[in-house]
Amino acid sequence: MTALDTAPTFHETTLTAGELTLRPLNQSDADEVAEACQDPETMRWLPIPRPYTLANAEWFIGTFAPELRESGAGIVFAIHVAGRLAGVVDLKHVNWAYKVAEVGYWVAPWARGRGVASRASRALAEWAICAHGFERVELYAATGNVASQRAAGKAGFVREGVARNAGYVHDGRVDLVLFSLVPDDLQRPDLKPQMS
Ligand SMILES: CC(C)(COP(=O)(O)OP(=O)(O)OC[C@H]1O[C@@H](n2cnc3c(N)ncnc32)[C@H](O)[C@@H]1OP(=O)(O)O)[C@@H](O)C(=O)NCCC(=O)NCCS
């Protein structure tokens, strides 16, 4: 047995956050994933395949997400609202030794502006901290991605600064605003999520 055989992993889980259900993706989500990932704003801020096809969605759901979870490097959740796929939120770059992970998300165009990203990212960060003992959950947003920064702030993530040239999108390298949530933040009244 190697050290890798005993590396921690996430188990498939369903979480709820108000009207949101966060559950494992399955192939019945593929059409909606493909449609949302063809949206220009999603393409603008995420370095996903361009064009984004149904086959890309099926690979993401059937191969990428299960392998990520089984490796312990992260976990992907479908965000459902009233039976419809509203978006995807994930934990990635998971460092079990340091208990640090990063949250990421996208929201389908029809579901934007109603708190989906802020609620889902808060729920996932709280789950990582409370159920898995993580000490720090990071969130990065490009300096130009105002909606993502706003969502992070509403979720109670604390803005720490700008990591220069740290990210990439289809148009090239970007500076990233770094946010984090740590266990003590969960008790701070000023960092309670601001959900409308
Ligand atoms: C960023 C994204 C995930 C936000 O999802 P969402 O569910 O709409 O986010 P929320 O509703 O929780 O919060 C968004 C906030 O940004 C605001 N906002 C949206 N576009 C904005 C803009 N261009 N300028 C300023 N604020 C903006 C919204 O009004 C809302 O704030 P409010 O509730 O105070 O009105 C979504 O726009 C998206 O999927 N974008 C494309 C992919 C992406 O950028 N992923 C994140 C990469 S870091």
Side-chain angles (χ1 to χ4, degrees):
M1 183 178 284
T2 68
L4 281 178
D5 293 326
T6 58
T9 58
F10 295 105
H11 297 292
E12 283 197 338
T13 309
T14 296
L15 309 172
T16 53
E19 61 167 357
L20 308 185
T21 303
L22 277 54
R23 62 146 175 81
L25 278 164
N26 64 55
Q27 290 296 353
S28 66
D29 299 314
D31 284 330
E32 289 167 294
V33 168
E35 187 181 343
C37 288
Q38 288 162 23
D39 166 63
E41 197 64 9
T42 311
M43 294 258 179
R44 180 180 177 197
W45 296 118
L46 295 175
I48 55 178
R50 192 162 67 175
Y52 196 98
T53 65
L54 182 59
N56 292 131
E58 289 168 347
W59 173 84
F60 176 67
I61 293 166
T63 301
F64 176 84
E67 287 184 357
L68 185 78
R69 187 182 63 74
E70 286 158 16
S71 73
I75 184 166
V76 181
F77 289 89
I79 309 168
H80 273 256
V81 177
R84 224 177 141 186
L85 183 83
V88 162
V89 63
D90 59 8
L91 275 184
K92 54 195 174 184
H93 302 148
V94 170
N95 186 324
W96 288 95
Y98 285 75
K99 291 285 186 183
V100 176
E102 178 185 336
V103 68
Y105 44 57
W106 57 256
V107 170
W110 65 267
R112 289 180 189 156
R114 54 162 91 171
V116 170
S118 41
R119 279 175 220 271
S121 58
R122 176 72 183 211
L124 189 52
E126 284 195 14
W127 177 72
I129 291 169
C130 299
H132 291 283
F134 278 80
E135 294 290 345
R136 173 177 169 85
V137 180
E138 298 181 338
L139 193 162
Y140 290 86
T143 49
N145 193 346
V146 181
S148 184
Q149 291 172 54
R150 174 80 187 128
K154 286 197 305 170
F157 284 80
V158 175
R159 187 187 192 281
E160 295 185 340
V162 174
R164 294 179 305 151
N165 212 28
Y168 63 96
V169 296
H170 287 289
D171 286 346
R173 303 294 308 187
V174 286
D175 295 345
L176 296 178
V177 183
L178 168 60
F179 295 84
S180 70
L181 195 74
V182 302
D184 284 351
D185 295 342
L186 302 183
Q187 312 307 325
R188 282 178 49 176
D190 57 319
L191 295 179
K192 288 280 175 239
Q194 302 157 28
M195 308 302 175
S196 45

